[in-house]
Amino acid sequence: MTSSSPAQNGRQIGGGDIRRAVEVEDATIIYNLPFNDLLFRAQQIHRENFDPNAIQMSRLLSIKTGGCAEDCGYCSQSAHYPTGLKASKLMEVERVLAEARKAKDGGATRYCMGAAWRNPKDRDMDALVAMVERVKALGMETCMTLGMLTPAHSARLAEAGLDYYNHNVDTSERYYSEIITTRSFEDRLETLANVRDAGIKVCAGGILGMGETTQDRISMLVTLANLPSPPESVPINMLIPIPGSKLENAAPVDPIDFVRTIALARILMPKSHVRLSAGRTDMSDEMQALCFFAGANSIFVGETLLTADNPGEDHDAALFRRLGLKPMQLGPTT
Ligand code: SAM
Ligand code: DTB
Ligand code: SF4
């Protein structure tokens, strides 16, 4: 780090023509600023890059639920834990389309289809391609999250017109093996590179509340900010503790620490959509308001995420009214 202050440097990162690597030390100084200073800075950067009152709305659908071979300690869908979830096969394209139409009517602009797989198989690709093409034809952005992707599978989905691929790094490199043992942090980065190289926009973030330290959270955001191009979308999830999963008894995150993490994500990745993702049913309206002030500008809408609960349309409509927020329309910057 050179002579400019870390906070100033944070604003330049990703915002100017020349990107410099974000240093963990600088990110830590920013994270630990007095709360008002941190939020003011995050809100300033937010305003320089986005309409501060517009929130992007995505809707999730689980197109293949449960029975997953991976052992992610947070997940209801891993076959390694007795979570009581019923597994199902890949959904029919027509059913996916019917659900996507409902999501569009509910105001969602992006449709995110998730499968509980370690990776898709060749035999799944025709159906996945059809889902992308048909949901896109409704005028929605498409997103998929299917586990690891090879360059060939990435290229096939890109050709079908897939806009985004979600693949979270979830936590720091250091803490990764405490949460997942069936794959490595490096595997995650490899898929992210395959997706990026295929020309698909990247959605990558993580989860807070898995017993990680503050430093793990900062390190995770630094990893994301230092990718060759930062992810266009950065989902920050608050752990939904799943009974039977490895993390069922994890200690909850301090809401102020959660807001600080959102602010740091906004500062390190000024042009990315930062999504206030899973866990909103356990957040107060006031906590969500602080997250929006700190620079979160995207949410999942609807009553279900993939398998877990979400606040639902009525609650979110009331929250948007109280805060004077409006849905973000599709445009060149989304
Ligand atoms: N199987 C795919 C994969 O892991 O790449 C996609 C589906 S997975 C459910 C997508 C993401 O949801 C995970 O990476 C994790 O960040 C988040 N997630 C899963 N279970 C969660 C939970 N109980 N609480 C918060 N976030 C969760
Ligand atoms: C992301 O970061 N969060 C979403 C999406 N990407 C795929 C998933 C949240 C899942 C919450 C737990 C569940 O519904 O099972
Ligand atoms: Fe499988 Fe994804 Fe759940 Fe991990 S997070 S167990 S890969 S569905």
Side-chain angles (χ1 to χ4, degrees):
M1 173 82 198
T2 51
S3 55
S4 62
S5 79
Q8 253 181 344
N9 193 38
R11 286 184 59 189
Q12 288 162 1
I13 294 159
D17 292 327
I18 302 165
R19 283 176 73 231
R20 273 195 287 140
V22 179
E23 304 288 343
V24 168
E25 293 73 22
D26 296 337
T28 305
I29 293 171
I30 297 169
Y31 181 93
N32 286 314
L33 283 170
F35 190 71
N36 288 342
D37 292 341
L38 175 63
L39 260 65
F40 181 67
R41 199 168 294 279
Q43 175 66 203
Q44 264 182 329
I45 289 170
H46 191 48
R47 280 167 189 267
E48 285 164 13
N49 293 284
F50 290 100
D51 174 344
N53 302 308
I55 305 290
Q56 190 275 329
M57 304 205 310
S58 295
R59 182 76 158 94
L60 278 164
L61 176 70
S62 180
I63 57 170
K64 193 270 161 198
T65 304
C68 185
E70 304 273 37
D71 71 350
C72 311
Y74 47 76
C75 191
S76 63
Q77 307 199 67
S78 167
H80 295 255
Y81 307 108
T83 63
L85 189 76
K86 197 171 161 283
S88 65
K89 290 207 166 72
L90 185 61
M91 205 178 258
E92 296 290 329
V93 178
E94 290 303 332
R95 220 183 121 199
V96 173
L97 215 57
E99 295 297 327
R101 278 196 198 97
K102 282 192 240 163
K104 190 182 178 193
D105 292 345
T109 56
R110 192 181 305 171
Y111 205 56
C112 180
M113 295 159 268
W117 283 325
R118 176 172 166 83
N119 53 264
K121 309 279 180 303
D122 287 346
R123 63 167 183 268
D124 304 315
M125 293 310 292
D126 286 349
L128 296 171
V129 162
M131 287 175 196
V132 172
E133 289 174 347
R134 305 237 355 235
V135 172
K136 239 179 126 66
L138 297 177
M140 300 183 86
E141 291 181 317
T142 50
C143 177
M144 281 186 160
T145 178
L146 314 167
M148 298 185 214
L149 284 192
T150 59
H153 284 166
S154 306
R156 183 90 202 276
L157 292 170
E159 202 183 315
L162 183 67
D163 296 294
Y164 290 83
Y165 196 77
N166 166 253
H167 201 66
N168 291 343
V169 297
D170 278 332
T171 189
S172 69
E173 184 168 10
R174 180 199 76 85
Y175 197 57
Y176 201 77
S177 59
E178 300 290 321
I179 304 299
I180 301 146
T181 70
T182 48
R183 59 170 188 255
S184 67
F185 197 76
E186 191 52 42
D187 289 331
R188 282 318 247 193
L189 297 182
E190 195 177 315
T191 289
L192 288 174
N194 292 343
V195 165
R196 179 62 84 195
D197 290 348
I200 300 170
K201 286 181 263 196
V202 168
C203 171
I207 309 182
L208 309 190
M210 303 192 294
E212 73 286 349
T213 62
T214 300
Q215 217 48 51
D216 289 316
R217 294 172 189 164
I218 294 170
S219 163
M220 172 181 88
L221 293 182
V222 167
T223 295
L224 294 170
N226 283 338
L227 289 174
S229 300
E232 281 80 4
S233 286
V234 180
I236 305 294
N237 298 279
M238 186 172 85
L239 179 73
I240 300 175
I242 306 290
S245 73
K246 182 176 167 190
L247 294 171
E248 65 178 333
N249 295 317
V253 194
D254 171 33
I256 299 295
D257 290 345
F258 191 94
V259 176
R260 278 186 179 277
T261 309
I262 295 275
L264 184 62
R266 166 53 61 228
I267 292 168
L268 297 186
M269 293 168 276
K271 295 186 186 303
S272 306
H273 283 80
V274 175
R275 182 171 310 121
L276 182 56
S277 299
R280 290 197 301 118
T281 49
D282 288 329
M283 295 179 196
S284 67
D285 285 356
E286 292 79 2
M287 177 176 170
Q288 293 187 62
L290 275 178
C291 288
F292 295 135
F293 189 74
N297 62 346
S298 172
I299 56 169
F300 285 120
V301 293
E303 273 163 18
T304 357
L305 294 161
L306 289 170
T307 68
D309 291 345
N310 199 44
E313 213 178 303
D314 292 352
H315 191 104
D316 283 340
L319 181 62
F320 273 40
R321 258 196 312 278
R322 288 174 79 198
L323 301 178
L325 297 173
K326 61 189 179 217
M328 195 181 285
Q329 305 301 321
L330 276 186
T333 57
T334 55

